Amino acid sequence: DIQTTQPPSSLSASVGDRVTIPCRTSQSVGNYLNWYQQKPGKAPKLLVYSASTLQSGVPSRFSGSGSGTDFTLTITSLQPEDFATYYCQQSYSAPLTFGQGTRVHFK
Amino acid sequence: QVQLQESGPGLLKPSETLSLTCTVSGGSTSSGSYYWTWIRQPAGKGLEWIGRIYTSGTTSYNPSLKSRVTISVDTSKNQFSLELTSVTAADTALYFCAREPTGRDAYDIWGQGTVVTVSS
């Protein structure tokens, strides 16, 4: 199985901050890497697919980058509604695996 | 607007079989453009991919669950289902169904999730 890791498990930030969330896979997944946002008690929401393609309707302050084994989700100016947990997921090979999540909380 | 809704028993005893159904509205499970997927999340933990089915009936399962999992689709009812046999407390989780457009390899629409608790 491809391992997907997201250190750190949490980070603190303030409204207006630029936030970068890393994700690493144990072997190359090309650009088969997706990002989701999840708020407590809710289903995850797709933000970015294929490493860097913004899902329709997602604000442009979100962006994804990377390829191979190292990826990043960037939020250019954190908004109050962005405090949530973010998961990366590799879709290169089954079993499709998620990172353990990075919780963005208020500083 | 496509919506997914999970349904099924919320409480099971150890060794019983978990059976959940995902009803698709505003879209069709017979469309050749999607995979239909089950994902679960234990309380306070991360997401685990259970498996998926294509409209043709082709399935793919997480090896860690493969011996206990069956995913099926009923296009006449616009539903797909999950069966997980011999459940234990470790299967207690929030279960989601989701849609994966073919070629996108990501889940663009999710159900709200349903909690399943396994307890004696």
Side-chain angles (χ1 to χ4, degrees):
Chain A
D1 298 1
I2 296 176
Q3 307 305 313
T4 307
T5 56
Q6 287 184 252
S9 60
S10 69
L11 64 86
S12 60
S14 299
V15 173
D17 283 354
R18 178 185 179 90
V19 172
T20 57
I21 300 171
C23 174
R24 175 166 289 177
T25 56
S26 60
Q27 63 187 75
S28 177
V29 298
N31 69 339
Y32 286 87
L33 195 287
N34 310 310
W35 289 97
Y36 300 86
Q37 176 195 67
Q38 187 179 33
K39 296 182 179 179
K42 300 293 187 181
K45 173 187 174 183
L46 178 63
L47 299 176
V48 171
Y49 63 93
S50 300
S52 60
T53 304
L54 201 64
Q55 170 71 356
S56 175
V58 173
S60 58
R61 63 180 180 274
F62 291 93
S63 64
S65 63
S67 67
T69 61
D70 290 286
F71 302 86
T72 301
L73 177 71
T74 300
I75 310 171
T76 52
S77 178
L78 196 68
Q79 298 301 299
E81 60 269 29
D82 300 336
F83 290 96
T85 300
Y86 294 85
Y87 292 94
C88 59
Q89 177 226 356
Q90 66 82 15
S91 55
Y92 180 77
S93 70
L96 310 184
T97 48
F98 292 85
Q100 72 269 37
T102 296
R103 176 175 160 258
V104 177
H105 60 92
F106 188 73
K107 185 183 292 183
Chain B
Q1 180 178 349
V2 177
Q3 293 184 314
L4 279 59
Q5 178 68 58
E6 305 88 348
S7 59
L11 181 61
L12 294 171
K13 290 182 167 53
S15 80
E16 291 185 334
T17 295
L18 180 159
S19 296
L20 297 177
T21 296
C22 183
T23 300
V24 180
S25 58
S28 174
T29 55
S30 61
S31 167
S33 300
Y34 304 105
Y35 293 98
W36 305 98
T37 297
W38 288 97
I39 292 163
R40 69 181 184 179
Q41 184 174 37
K45 296 188 178 180
L47 299 156
E48 179 181 31
W49 180 78
I50 299 172
R52 71 182 187 186
I53 188 165
Y54 189 57
T55 187
S56 64
T58 301
T59 54
S60 178
Y61 299 132
N62 191 323
S64 69
L65 299 169
K66 188 173 184 177
S67 63
R68 300 194 291 131
V69 172
T70 301
I71 296 175
S72 58
V73 63
D74 187 337
T75 55
S76 67
K77 294 182 179 179
N78 228 18
Q79 296 175 335
F80 62 104
S81 299
L82 168 69
E83 280 202 350
L84 182 66
T85 62
S86 304
V87 298
T88 70
D91 296 310
T92 295
L94 179 59
Y95 285 75
F96 295 103
C97 58
R99 186 185 82 167
E100 176 191 342
T102 56
R104 184 167 298 184
D105 303 301
Y107 311 116
D108 65 342
I109 296 177
W110 296 63
Q112 64 185 26
T114 189
V115 174
V116 176
T117 302
V118 180
S119 174
S120 55

